[in-house]
Amino acid sequence: MKKFLLLLSLFSMNTFAAWQVEVALGVDGQTWKIDNAKFDDGKETAITLGNYLVKMTIKKSKEENGLDVAYSVQEKKGEKFVLVNKGDEIIESGQASNEIFAKGEAKQPNTIITLKLKNI
């Protein structure tokens, strides 16, 4: 048991950081949701919601109880993906739900990304 604890102490705690997140995407009055998306600290995760591809990176922020979220939303049109919007936000990890209001690129709709952190 002592060897196991010693081995664990060699790894950074960020190595084990992961979030279970409920993600909802709202575009033009339509909503798609995924209940259990897993995000590793600082790694990009891609989620398909309807015709949309949402790429997100979540990592601990320098702000207290904050998480940095980098996101991009792309719509699949035929064989191509068209950028709907992208950006960076800081959300609070202590809240039950966080919403990101993302302004669309030129001639693209605005979107709402809702994140519910299940555990850290």
Side-chain angles (χ1 to χ4, degrees):
M1 185 66 173
K2 290 180 183 179
K3 290 180 183 179
F4 179 70
L5 292 175
L6 179 64
L7 180 65
L8 285 179
S9 68
L10 296 175
F11 292 103
S12 163
M13 289 310 288
N14 283 339
T15 304
F16 302 108
W19 294 272
Q20 291 292 327
V21 182
E22 181 180 302
V23 180
L25 175 68
V27 180
D28 282 342
Q30 293 182 324
T31 303
W32 297 272
K33 184 171 104 172
I34 186 165
D35 288 329
N36 289 312
K38 181 182 176 190
F39 290 89
D40 291 323
D41 187 59
K43 292 186 180 179
E44 183 177 71
T45 301
I47 302 168
T48 302
L49 296 164
N51 288 337
Y52 296 92
L53 177 66
V54 179
K55 294 181 181 179
M56 297 181 81
T57 303
I58 300 176
K59 64 181 180 178
K60 291 189 181 206
S61 177
K62 294 179 182 177
E63 292 186 19
E64 186 176 337
N65 295 328
L67 297 173
D68 291 332
V69 178
Y71 63 90
S72 72
V73 179
Q74 299 174 349
E75 182 178 12
K76 185 173 183 178
K77 292 188 176 183
E79 295 295 318
K80 297 182 351 178
F81 283 95
V82 177
L83 180 65
V84 176
N85 54 41
K86 66 179 178 178
D88 298 302
E89 294 284 331
I90 297 176
I91 62 172
E92 290 188 40
S93 61
Q95 290 189 355
S97 177
N98 291 281
E99 290 189 337
I100 298 172
F101 298 98
K103 182 170 173 37
E105 297 288 320
K107 298 184 180 180
Q108 295 298 322
N110 297 333
T111 61
I112 300 172
I113 302 170
T114 305
L115 303 172
K116 293 182 182 177
L117 300 171
K118 293 190 176 182
N119 60 12
I120 295 180

mmCIF file of all heavy atoms in Angstrom, residues 12-64:
data_model
loop_
_atom_site.group_PDB
_atom_site.id
_atom_site.type_symbol
_atom_site.label_atom_id
_atom_site.label_comp_id
_atom_site.label_asym_id
_atom_site.label_seq_id
_atom_site.Cartn_x
_atom_site.Cartn_y
_atom_site.Cartn_z
ATOM 1 N N SER A 12 1.083 14.464 -10.992
ATOM 2 C CA SER A 12 0.393 15.713 -10.680
ATOM 3 C C SER A 12 -1.090 15.415 -10.503
ATOM 4 O O SER A 12 -1.652 14.559 -11.178
ATOM 5 C CB SER A 12 0.593 16.703 -11.833
ATOM 6 O OG SER A 12 -0.322 17.740 -11.764
ATOM 7 N N MET A 13 -1.758 16.174 -9.628
ATOM 8 C CA MET A 13 -3.192 15.969 -9.430
ATOM 9 C C MET A 13 -3.976 16.387 -10.668
ATOM 10 O O MET A 13 -5.070 15.908 -10.903
ATOM 11 C CB MET A 13 -3.683 16.733 -8.192
ATOM 12 C CG MET A 13 -3.198 16.142 -6.885
ATOM 13 S SD MET A 13 -3.473 14.366 -6.735
ATOM 14 C CE MET A 13 -5.229 14.330 -6.510
ATOM 15 N N ASN A 14 -3.420 17.260 -11.486
ATOM 16 C CA ASN A 14 -4.094 17.632 -12.733
ATOM 17 C C ASN A 14 -4.176 16.465 -13.703
ATOM 18 O O ASN A 14 -5.011 16.450 -14.595
ATOM 19 C CB ASN A 14 -3.389 18.814 -13.411
ATOM 20 C CG ASN A 14 -3.704 20.117 -12.735
ATOM 21 O OD1 ASN A 14 -4.697 20.229 -12.029
ATOM 22 N ND2 ASN A 14 -2.846 21.097 -12.941
ATOM 23 N N THR A 15 -3.294 15.475 -13.541
ATOM 24 C CA THR A 15 -3.349 14.297 -14.388
ATOM 25 C C THR A 15 -4.679 13.577 -14.217
ATOM 26 O O THR A 15 -5.210 12.994 -15.145
ATOM 27 C CB THR A 15 -2.192 13.335 -14.031
ATOM 28 O OG1 THR A 15 -0.964 14.048 -14.144
ATOM 29 C CG2 THR A 15 -2.171 12.133 -14.936
ATOM 30 N N PHE A 16 -5.235 13.633 -13.013
ATOM 31 C CA PHE A 16 -6.465 12.923 -12.719
ATOM 32 C C PHE A 16 -7.700 13.811 -12.828
ATOM 33 O O PHE A 16 -8.803 13.366 -12.586
ATOM 34 C CB PHE A 16 -6.403 12.322 -11.310
ATOM 35 C CG PHE A 16 -5.239 11.385 -11.137
ATOM 36 C CD1 PHE A 16 -4.154 11.752 -10.365
ATOM 37 C CD2 PHE A 16 -5.233 10.160 -11.769
ATOM 38 C CE1 PHE A 16 -3.084 10.891 -10.207
ATOM 39 C CE2 PHE A 16 -4.165 9.290 -11.620
ATOM 40 C CZ PHE A 16 -3.084 9.662 -10.835
ATOM 41 N N ALA A 17 -7.520 15.090 -13.158
ATOM 42 C CA ALA A 17 -8.652 16.022 -13.218
ATOM 43 C C ALA A 17 -9.521 15.710 -14.428
ATOM 44 O O ALA A 17 -9.054 15.639 -15.549
ATOM 45 C CB ALA A 17 -8.155 17.458 -13.282
ATOM 46 N N ALA A 18 -10.779 15.506 -14.158
ATOM 47 C CA ALA A 18 -11.753 15.259 -15.226
ATOM 48 C C ALA A 18 -13.109 15.730 -14.729
ATOM 49 O O ALA A 18 -13.383 15.718 -13.530
ATOM 50 C CB ALA A 18 -11.801 13.782 -15.588
ATOM 51 N N TRP A 19 -13.920 16.177 -15.660
ATOM 52 C CA TRP A 19 -15.243 16.658 -15.328
ATOM 53 C C TRP A 19 -16.277 15.863 -16.092
ATOM 54 O O TRP A 19 -16.125 15.615 -17.292
ATOM 55 C CB TRP A 19 -15.387 18.141 -15.695
ATOM 56 C CG TRP A 19 -14.530 19.029 -14.887
ATOM 57 C CD1 TRP A 19 -14.833 19.591 -13.682
ATOM 58 C CD2 TRP A 19 -13.217 19.475 -15.188
ATOM 59 N NE1 TRP A 19 -13.791 20.358 -13.230
ATOM 60 C CE2 TRP A 19 -12.785 20.301 -14.140
ATOM 61 C CE3 TRP A 19 -12.352 19.244 -16.255
ATOM 62 C CZ2 TRP A 19 -11.538 20.895 -14.124
ATOM 63 C CZ3 TRP A 19 -11.102 19.840 -16.241
ATOM 64 C CH2 TRP A 19 -10.714 20.650 -15.179
ATOM 65 N N GLN A 20 -17.342 15.456 -15.415
ATOM 66 C CA GLN A 20 -18.524 14.893 -16.050
ATOM 67 C C GLN A 20 -19.476 16.065 -16.239
ATOM 68 O O GLN A 20 -19.827 16.734 -15.267
ATOM 69 C CB GLN A 20 -19.173 13.811 -15.191
ATOM 70 C CG GLN A 20 -18.364 12.549 -15.080
ATOM 71 C CD GLN A 20 -18.271 11.794 -16.391
ATOM 72 O OE1 GLN A 20 -19.185 11.809 -17.194
ATOM 73 N NE2 GLN A 20 -17.148 11.155 -16.613
ATOM 74 N N VAL A 21 -19.869 16.320 -17.468
ATOM 75 C CA VAL A 21 -20.640 17.514 -17.768
ATOM 76 C C VAL A 21 -21.856 17.152 -18.601
ATOM 77 O O VAL A 21 -21.777 16.344 -19.527
ATOM 78 C CB VAL A 21 -19.773 18.544 -18.547
ATOM 79 C CG1 VAL A 21 -20.541 19.819 -18.817
ATOM 80 C CG2 VAL A 21 -18.487 18.838 -17.807
ATOM 81 N N GLU A 22 -22.988 17.762 -18.252
ATOM 82 C CA GLU A 22 -24.180 17.694 -19.098
ATOM 83 C C GLU A 22 -24.108 18.921 -20.010
ATOM 84 O O GLU A 22 -24.009 20.049 -19.539
ATOM 85 C CB GLU A 22 -25.441 17.751 -18.243
ATOM 86 C CG GLU A 22 -26.719 17.666 -19.036
ATOM 87 C CD GLU A 22 -27.929 17.723 -18.128
ATOM 88 O OE1 GLU A 22 -28.042 16.861 -17.238
ATOM 89 O OE2 GLU A 22 -28.744 18.649 -18.319
ATOM 90 N N VAL A 23 -24.113 18.682 -21.313
ATOM 91 C CA VAL A 23 -23.956 19.757 -22.289
ATOM 92 C C VAL A 23 -25.235 19.874 -23.109
ATOM 93 O O VAL A 23 -25.736 18.883 -23.629
ATOM 94 C CB VAL A 23 -22.770 19.486 -23.241
ATOM 95 C CG1 VAL A 23 -22.611 20.616 -24.252
ATOM 96 C CG2 VAL A 23 -21.482 19.273 -22.468
ATOM 97 N N ALA A 24 -25.759 21.091 -23.214
ATOM 98 C CA ALA A 24 -26.922 21.357 -24.065
ATOM 99 C C ALA A 24 -26.546 22.476 -25.027
ATOM 100 O O ALA A 24 -25.872 23.433 -24.666
ATOM 101 C CB ALA A 24 -28.129 21.763 -23.227
ATOM 102 N N LEU A 25 -26.984 22.340 -26.274
ATOM 103 C CA LEU A 25 -26.717 23.328 -27.313
ATOM 104 C C LEU A 25 -28.042 23.807 -27.871
ATOM 105 O O LEU A 25 -28.870 23.000 -28.293
ATOM 106 C CB LEU A 25 -25.874 22.711 -28.433
ATOM 107 C CG LEU A 25 -25.611 23.588 -29.665
ATOM 108 C CD1 LEU A 25 -24.704 24.754 -29.294
ATOM 109 C CD2 LEU A 25 -25.000 22.769 -30.778
ATOM 110 N N GLY A 26 -28.238 25.110 -27.863
ATOM 111 C CA GLY A 26 -29.448 25.706 -28.422
ATOM 112 C C GLY A 26 -29.104 26.585 -29.612
ATOM 113 O O GLY A 26 -28.307 27.504 -29.487
ATOM 114 N N VAL A 27 -29.714 26.268 -30.765
ATOM 115 C CA VAL A 27 -29.486 27.032 -31.990
ATOM 116 C C VAL A 27 -30.837 27.239 -32.671
ATOM 117 O O VAL A 27 -31.536 26.265 -32.974
ATOM 118 C CB VAL A 27 -28.536 26.289 -32.962
ATOM 119 C CG1 VAL A 27 -28.313 27.118 -34.225
ATOM 120 C CG2 VAL A 27 -27.217 25.958 -32.301
ATOM 121 N N ASP A 28 -31.195 28.494 -32.906
ATOM 122 C CA ASP A 28 -32.437 28.832 -33.615
ATOM 123 C C ASP A 28 -33.664 28.109 -33.058
ATOM 124 O O ASP A 28 -34.475 27.563 -33.801
ATOM 125 C CB ASP A 28 -32.302 28.527 -35.113
ATOM 126 C CG ASP A 28 -31.516 29.591 -35.849
ATOM 127 O OD1 ASP A 28 -31.364 30.703 -35.312
ATOM 128 O OD2 ASP A 28 -31.053 29.316 -36.976
ATOM 129 N N GLY A 29 -33.794 28.064 -31.752
ATOM 130 C CA GLY A 29 -34.969 27.467 -31.128
ATOM 131 C C GLY A 29 -34.924 25.958 -30.988
ATOM 132 O O GLY A 29 -35.812 25.367 -30.391
ATOM 133 N N GLN A 30 -33.921 25.300 -31.530
ATOM 134 C CA GLN A 30 -33.769 23.853 -31.376
ATOM 135 C C GLN A 30 -32.711 23.587 -30.312
ATOM 136 O O GLN A 30 -31.740 24.332 -30.183
ATOM 137 C CB GLN A 30 -33.348 23.196 -32.683
ATOM 138 C CG GLN A 30 -34.399 23.257 -33.765
ATOM 139 C CD GLN A 30 -33.934 22.531 -35.017
ATOM 140 O OE1 GLN A 30 -32.775 22.566 -35.364
ATOM 141 N NE2 GLN A 30 -34.871 21.864 -35.677
ATOM 142 N N THR A 31 -32.914 22.503 -29.556
ATOM 143 C CA THR A 31 -31.989 22.171 -28.478
ATOM 144 C C THR A 31 -31.575 20.707 -28.574
ATOM 145 O O THR A 31 -32.404 19.832 -28.814
ATOM 146 C CB THR A 31 -32.645 22.417 -27.104
ATOM 147 O OG1 THR A 31 -33.077 23.775 -27.040
ATOM 148 C CG2 THR A 31 -31.667 22.174 -25.980
ATOM 149 N N TRP A 32 -30.292 20.465 -28.379
ATOM 150 C CA TRP A 32 -29.748 19.115 -28.309
ATOM 151 C C TRP A 32 -29.008 18.993 -27.000
ATOM 152 O O TRP A 32 -28.460 19.966 -26.485
ATOM 153 C CB TRP A 32 -28.772 18.855 -29.456
ATOM 154 C CG TRP A 32 -29.412 18.917 -30.791
ATOM 155 C CD1 TRP A 32 -30.020 17.913 -31.481
ATOM 156 C CD2 TRP A 32 -29.536 20.072 -31.618
ATOM 157 N NE1 TRP A 32 -30.500 18.381 -32.669
ATOM 158 C CE2 TRP A 32 -30.215 19.699 -32.785
ATOM 159 C CE3 TRP A 32 -29.133 21.400 -31.479
ATOM 160 C CZ2 TRP A 32 -30.507 20.581 -33.810
ATOM 161 C CZ3 TRP A 32 -29.419 22.291 -32.491
ATOM 162 C CH2 TRP A 32 -30.090 21.869 -33.653
ATOM 163 N N LYS A 33 -28.970 17.768 -26.447
ATOM 164 C CA LYS A 33 -28.368 17.585 -25.129
ATOM 165 C C LYS A 33 -27.656 16.242 -25.065
ATOM 166 O O LYS A 33 -28.103 15.261 -25.643
ATOM 167 C CB LYS A 33 -29.458 17.660 -24.060
ATOM 168 C CG LYS A 33 -28.966 17.574 -22.647
ATOM 169 C CD LYS A 33 -30.083 17.865 -21.669
ATOM 170 C CE LYS A 33 -30.552 16.595 -21.050
ATOM 171 N NZ LYS A 33 -31.503 16.791 -19.963
ATOM 172 N N ILE A 34 -26.562 16.234 -24.340
ATOM 173 C CA ILE A 34 -25.856 14.995 -24.012
ATOM 174 C C ILE A 34 -25.662 15.000 -22.496
ATOM 175 O O ILE A 34 -25.265 16.012 -21.918
ATOM 176 C CB ILE A 34 -24.519 14.858 -24.773
ATOM 177 C CG1 ILE A 34 -23.894 13.495 -24.524
ATOM 178 C CG2 ILE A 34 -23.556 15.953 -24.433
ATOM 179 C CD1 ILE A 34 -22.779 13.149 -25.493
ATOM 180 N N ASP A 35 -25.998 13.892 -21.850
ATOM 181 C CA ASP A 35 -26.015 13.844 -20.393
ATOM 182 C C ASP A 35 -24.645 13.666 -19.746
ATOM 183 O O ASP A 35 -24.375 14.242 -18.711
ATOM 184 C CB ASP A 35 -26.944 12.736 -19.900
ATOM 185 C CG ASP A 35 -28.404 13.089 -20.107
ATOM 186 O OD1 ASP A 35 -28.737 14.279 -20.052
ATOM 187 O OD2 ASP A 35 -29.211 12.168 -20.326
ATOM 188 N N ASN A 36 -23.800 12.832 -20.315
ATOM 189 C CA ASN A 36 -22.519 12.541 -19.669
ATOM 190 C C ASN A 36 -21.368 12.690 -20.647
ATOM 191 O O ASN A 36 -20.950 11.729 -21.271
ATOM 192 C CB ASN A 36 -22.509 11.116 -19.106
ATOM 193 C CG ASN A 36 -23.394 10.968 -17.906
ATOM 194 O OD1 ASN A 36 -23.324 11.777 -16.990
ATOM 195 N ND2 ASN A 36 -24.238 9.957 -17.888
ATOM 196 N N ALA A 37 -20.855 13.878 -20.740
ATOM 197 C CA ALA A 37 -19.659 14.118 -21.537
ATOM 198 C C ALA A 37 -18.482 14.233 -20.573
ATOM 199 O O ALA A 37 -18.582 14.897 -19.549
ATOM 200 C CB ALA A 37 -19.804 15.392 -22.352
ATOM 201 N N LYS A 38 -17.389 13.584 -20.890
ATOM 202 C CA LYS A 38 -16.214 13.625 -20.025
ATOM 203 C C LYS A 38 -15.183 14.571 -20.642
ATOM 204 O O LYS A 38 -14.853 14.463 -21.810
ATOM 205 C CB LYS A 38 -15.602 12.241 -19.873
ATOM 206 C CG LYS A 38 -14.396 12.237 -18.961
ATOM 207 C CD LYS A 38 -13.782 10.870 -18.860
ATOM 208 C CE LYS A 38 -12.527 10.952 -18.006
ATOM 209 N NZ LYS A 38 -11.771 9.713 -18.060
ATOM 210 N N PHE A 39 -14.719 15.510 -19.830
ATOM 211 C CA PHE A 39 -13.707 16.464 -20.249
ATOM 212 C C PHE A 39 -12.485 16.301 -19.364
ATOM 213 O O PHE A 39 -12.585 16.397 -18.148
ATOM 214 C CB PHE A 39 -14.235 17.902 -20.123
ATOM 215 C CG PHE A 39 -15.295 18.237 -21.125
ATOM 216 C CD1 PHE A 39 -16.625 17.999 -20.844
ATOM 217 C CD2 PHE A 39 -14.962 18.787 -22.341
ATOM 218 C CE1 PHE A 39 -17.611 18.305 -21.755
ATOM 219 C CE2 PHE A 39 -15.936 19.102 -23.272
ATOM 220 C CZ PHE A 39 -17.262 18.859 -22.988
ATOM 221 N N ASP A 40 -11.336 16.045 -19.978
ATOM 222 C CA ASP A 40 -10.075 15.998 -19.242
ATOM 223 C C ASP A 40 -9.485 17.398 -19.215
ATOM 224 O O ASP A 40 -9.636 18.166 -20.162
ATOM 225 C CB ASP A 40 -9.088 15.033 -19.911
ATOM 226 C CG ASP A 40 -9.535 13.585 -19.792
ATOM 227 O OD1 ASP A 40 -10.095 13.229 -18.744
ATOM 228 O OD2 ASP A 40 -9.317 12.817 -20.748
ATOM 229 N N ASP A 41 -8.805 17.721 -18.149
ATOM 230 C CA ASP A 41 -8.243 19.055 -17.946
ATOM 231 C C ASP A 41 -7.293 19.432 -19.081
ATOM 232 O O ASP A 41 -6.303 18.758 -19.327
ATOM 233 C CB ASP A 41 -7.509 19.119 -16.613
ATOM 234 C CG ASP A 41 -7.056 20.521 -16.276
ATOM 235 O OD1 ASP A 41 -7.927 21.404 -16.193
ATOM 236 O OD2 ASP A 41 -5.842 20.726 -16.103
ATOM 237 N N GLY A 42 -7.643 20.505 -19.799
ATOM 238 C CA GLY A 42 -6.782 21.038 -20.847
ATOM 239 C C GLY A 42 -6.791 20.294 -22.160
ATOM 240 O O GLY A 42 -6.029 20.637 -23.066
ATOM 241 N N LYS A 43 -7.642 19.281 -22.321
ATOM 242 C CA LYS A 43 -7.696 18.528 -23.572
ATOM 243 C C LYS A 43 -8.994 18.829 -24.309
ATOM 244 O O LYS A 43 -10.058 18.898 -23.705
ATOM 245 C CB LYS A 43 -7.608 17.023 -23.311
ATOM 246 C CG LYS A 43 -6.265 16.598 -22.795
ATOM 247 C CD LYS A 43 -6.168 15.107 -22.699
ATOM 248 C CE LYS A 43 -4.807 14.699 -22.172
ATOM 249 N NZ LYS A 43 -4.690 13.254 -22.052
ATOM 250 N N GLU A 44 -8.885 18.994 -25.620
ATOM 251 C CA GLU A 44 -10.065 19.285 -26.423
ATOM 252 C C GLU A 44 -10.921 18.034 -26.574
ATOM 253 O O GLU A 44 -10.414 16.946 -26.831
ATOM 254 C CB GLU A 44 -9.647 19.795 -27.805
ATOM 255 C CG GLU A 44 -10.820 20.197 -28.668
ATOM 256 C CD GLU A 44 -10.390 20.761 -29.999
ATOM 257 O OE1 GLU A 44 -9.910 19.965 -30.837
ATOM 258 O OE2 GLU A 44 -10.525 21.973 -30.185
ATOM 259 N N THR A 45 -12.217 18.219 -26.404
ATOM 260 C CA THR A 45 -13.187 17.142 -26.563
ATOM 261 C C THR A 45 -14.198 17.571 -27.613
ATOM 262 O O THR A 45 -14.682 18.700 -27.579
ATOM 263 C CB THR A 45 -13.906 16.855 -25.229
ATOM 264 O OG1 THR A 45 -12.934 16.500 -24.248
ATOM 265 C CG2 THR A 45 -14.917 15.732 -25.364
ATOM 266 N N ALA A 46 -14.507 16.682 -28.539
ATOM 267 C CA ALA A 46 -15.476 16.977 -29.594
ATOM 268 C C ALA A 46 -16.754 16.196 -29.334
ATOM 269 O O ALA A 46 -16.721 15.005 -29.032
ATOM 270 C CB ALA A 46 -14.909 16.610 -30.959
ATOM 271 N N ILE A 47 -17.898 16.890 -29.434
ATOM 272 C CA ILE A 47 -19.208 16.298 -29.202
ATOM 273 C C ILE A 47 -20.083 16.614 -30.408
ATOM 274 O O ILE A 47 -20.142 17.757 -30.858
ATOM 275 C CB ILE A 47 -19.868 16.890 -27.937
ATOM 276 C CG1 ILE A 47 -18.987 16.676 -26.717
ATOM 277 C CG2 ILE A 47 -21.248 16.298 -27.717
ATOM 278 C CD1 ILE A 47 -19.436 17.464 -25.509
ATOM 279 N N THR A 48 -20.786 15.605 -30.912
ATOM 280 C CA THR A 48 -21.717 15.815 -32.010
ATOM 281 C C THR A 48 -23.124 15.947 -31.437
ATOM 282 O O THR A 48 -23.603 15.078 -30.719
ATOM 283 C CB THR A 48 -21.672 14.632 -33.002
ATOM 284 O OG1 THR A 48 -20.337 14.498 -33.480
ATOM 285 C CG2 THR A 48 -22.607 14.863 -34.166
ATOM 286 N N LEU A 49 -23.772 17.066 -31.756
ATOM 287 C CA LEU A 49 -25.140 17.336 -31.307
ATOM 288 C C LEU A 49 -25.948 17.738 -32.539
ATOM 289 O O LEU A 49 -25.795 18.856 -33.044
ATOM 290 C CB LEU A 49 -25.161 18.456 -30.261
ATOM 291 C CG LEU A 49 -24.430 18.151 -28.951
ATOM 292 C CD1 LEU A 49 -24.169 19.415 -28.170
ATOM 293 C CD2 LEU A 49 -25.237 17.183 -28.123
ATOM 294 N N GLY A 50 -26.772 16.824 -33.035
ATOM 295 C CA GLY A 50 -27.521 17.088 -34.260
ATOM 296 C C GLY A 50 -26.562 17.253 -35.421
ATOM 297 O O GLY A 50 -25.665 16.434 -35.624
ATOM 298 N N ASN A 51 -26.722 18.324 -36.194
ATOM 299 C CA ASN A 51 -25.818 18.628 -37.309
ATOM 300 C C ASN A 51 -24.616 19.457 -36.863
ATOM 301 O O ASN A 51 -23.870 19.948 -37.704
ATOM 302 C CB ASN A 51 -26.554 19.407 -38.406
ATOM 303 C CG ASN A 51 -27.520 18.533 -39.164
ATOM 304 O OD1 ASN A 51 -27.373 17.317 -39.205
ATOM 305 N ND2 ASN A 51 -28.511 19.148 -39.764
ATOM 306 N N TYR A 52 -24.434 19.614 -35.577
ATOM 307 C CA TYR A 52 -23.396 20.491 -35.054
ATOM 308 C C TYR A 52 -22.292 19.710 -34.367
ATOM 309 O O TYR A 52 -22.537 18.717 -33.695
ATOM 310 C CB TYR A 52 -23.998 21.506 -34.074
ATOM 311 C CG TYR A 52 -24.966 22.441 -34.744
ATOM 312 C CD1 TYR A 52 -26.322 22.139 -34.792
ATOM 313 C CD2 TYR A 52 -24.529 23.595 -35.365
ATOM 314 C CE1 TYR A 52 -27.215 22.979 -35.434
ATOM 315 C CE2 TYR A 52 -25.414 24.439 -36.013
ATOM 316 C CZ TYR A 52 -26.754 24.126 -36.041
ATOM 317 O OH TYR A 52 -27.630 24.961 -36.686
ATOM 318 N N LEU A 53 -21.076 20.188 -34.555
ATOM 319 C CA LEU A 53 -19.905 19.641 -33.880
ATOM 320 C C LEU A 53 -19.422 20.691 -32.897
ATOM 321 O O LEU A 53 -19.092 21.812 -33.293
ATOM 322 C CB LEU A 53 -18.801 19.312 -34.887
ATOM 323 C CG LEU A 53 -17.493 18.796 -34.311
ATOM 324 C CD1 LEU A 53 -17.714 17.424 -33.655
ATOM 325 C CD2 LEU A 53 -16.434 18.689 -35.388
ATOM 326 N N VAL A 54 -19.422 20.350 -31.610
ATOM 327 C CA VAL A 54 -18.986 21.268 -30.556
ATOM 328 C C VAL A 54 -17.644 20.766 -30.046
ATOM 329 O O VAL A 54 -17.535 19.642 -29.576
ATOM 330 C CB VAL A 54 -20.009 21.332 -29.402
ATOM 331 C CG1 VAL A 54 -19.529 22.269 -28.314
ATOM 332 C CG2 VAL A 54 -21.374 21.740 -29.913
ATOM 333 N N LYS A 55 -16.631 21.615 -30.163
ATOM 334 C CA LYS A 55 -15.303 21.289 -29.640
ATOM 335 C C LYS A 55 -15.055 22.190 -28.436
ATOM 336 O O LYS A 55 -15.174 23.406 -28.541
ATOM 337 C CB LYS A 55 -14.224 21.523 -30.693
ATOM 338 C CG LYS A 55 -14.320 20.593 -31.871
ATOM 339 C CD LYS A 55 -13.210 20.862 -32.853
ATOM 340 C CE LYS A 55 -13.300 19.951 -34.051
ATOM 341 N NZ LYS A 55 -12.219 20.230 -35.018
ATOM 342 N N MET A 56 -14.726 21.562 -27.299
ATOM 343 C CA MET A 56 -14.529 22.332 -26.069
ATOM 344 C C MET A 56 -13.291 21.846 -25.329
ATOM 345 O O MET A 56 -12.986 20.660 -25.339
ATOM 346 C CB MET A 56 -15.732 22.194 -25.143
ATOM 347 C CG MET A 56 -17.008 22.740 -25.708
ATOM 348 S SD MET A 56 -18.376 22.564 -24.569
ATOM 349 C CE MET A 56 -18.057 23.954 -23.537
ATOM 350 N N THR A 57 -12.644 22.808 -24.689
ATOM 351 C CA THR A 57 -11.537 22.522 -23.784
ATOM 352 C C THR A 57 -11.861 23.193 -22.458
ATOM 353 O O THR A 57 -12.174 24.378 -22.426
ATOM 354 C CB THR A 57 -10.213 23.084 -24.339
ATOM 355 O OG1 THR A 57 -9.988 22.541 -25.639
ATOM 356 C CG2 THR A 57 -9.057 22.731 -23.429
ATOM 357 N N ILE A 58 -11.817 22.415 -21.383
ATOM 358 C CA ILE A 58 -12.066 22.944 -20.045
ATOM 359 C C ILE A 58 -10.803 22.748 -19.225
ATOM 360 O O ILE A 58 -10.224 21.658 -19.214
ATOM 361 C CB ILE A 58 -13.250 22.227 -19.359
ATOM 362 C CG1 ILE A 58 -14.532 22.416 -20.177
ATOM 363 C CG2 ILE A 58 -13.438 22.737 -17.943
ATOM 364 C CD1 ILE A 58 -15.731 21.670 -19.628
ATOM 365 N N LYS A 59 -10.374 23.814 -18.562
ATOM 366 C CA LYS A 59 -9.215 23.710 -17.673
ATOM 367 C C LYS A 59 -9.394 24.653 -16.500
ATOM 368 O O LYS A 59 -10.190 25.589 -16.562
ATOM 369 C CB LYS A 59 -7.912 24.000 -18.418
ATOM 370 C CG LYS A 59 -7.796 25.385 -18.955
ATOM 371 C CD LYS A 59 -6.490 25.569 -19.700
ATOM 372 C CE LYS A 59 -6.393 26.979 -20.247
ATOM 373 N NZ LYS A 59 -5.156 27.215 -20.923
ATOM 374 N N LYS A 60 -8.663 24.394 -15.447
ATOM 375 C CA LYS A 60 -8.754 25.234 -14.250
ATOM 376 C C LYS A 60 -8.264 26.636 -14.580
ATOM 377 O O LYS A 60 -7.279 26.815 -15.278
ATOM 378 C CB LYS A 60 -7.943 24.640 -13.112
ATOM 379 C CG LYS A 60 -8.547 23.365 -12.598
ATOM 380 C CD LYS A 60 -7.868 22.895 -11.354
ATOM 381 C CE LYS A 60 -8.529 21.598 -10.953
ATOM 382 N NZ LYS A 60 -8.438 21.310 -9.572
ATOM 383 N N SER A 61 -8.985 27.608 -14.059
ATOM 384 C CA SER A 61 -8.660 29.007 -14.292
ATOM 385 C C SER A 61 -7.751 29.531 -13.186
ATOM 386 O O SER A 61 -7.652 28.938 -12.114
ATOM 387 C CB SER A 61 -9.952 29.829 -14.324
ATOM 388 O OG SER A 61 -9.669 31.193 -14.481
ATOM 389 N N LYS A 62 -7.127 30.660 -13.446
ATOM 390 C CA LYS A 62 -6.340 31.322 -12.408
ATOM 391 C C LYS A 62 -7.252 31.996 -11.398
ATOM 392 O O LYS A 62 -6.841 32.294 -10.288
ATOM 393 C CB LYS A 62 -5.393 32.340 -13.038
ATOM 394 C CG LYS A 62 -4.331 31.693 -13.889
ATOM 395 C CD LYS A 62 -3.427 32.708 -14.529
ATOM 396 C CE LYS A 62 -2.409 31.998 -15.405
ATOM 397 N NZ LYS A 62 -1.543 32.936 -16.113
ATOM 398 N N GLU A 63 -8.509 32.236 -11.788
ATOM 399 C CA GLU A 63 -9.477 32.824 -10.873
ATOM 400 C C GLU A 63 -9.992 31.754 -9.903
ATOM 401 O O GLU A 63 -10.119 30.589 -10.252
ATOM 402 C CB GLU A 63 -10.664 33.397 -11.645
ATOM 403 C CG GLU A 63 -10.324 34.601 -12.476
ATOM 404 C CD GLU A 63 -11.542 35.220 -13.115
ATOM 405 O OE1 GLU A 63 -12.666 34.957 -12.655
ATOM 406 O OE2 GLU A 63 -11.361 35.965 -14.082
ATOM 407 N N GLU A 64 -10.309 32.183 -8.688
ATOM 408 C CA GLU A 64 -10.813 31.263 -7.682
ATOM 409 C C GLU A 64 -12.167 30.702 -8.119
ATOM 410 O O GLU A 64 -13.038 31.439 -8.563
ATOM 411 C CB GLU A 64 -10.961 31.989 -6.342
ATOM 412 C CG GLU A 64 -11.332 31.081 -5.209
ATOM 413 C CD GLU A 64 -11.377 31.836 -3.893
ATOM 414 O OE1 GLU A 64 -10.726 32.890 -3.781
ATOM 415 O OE2 GLU A 64 -12.068 31.353 -2.995
#
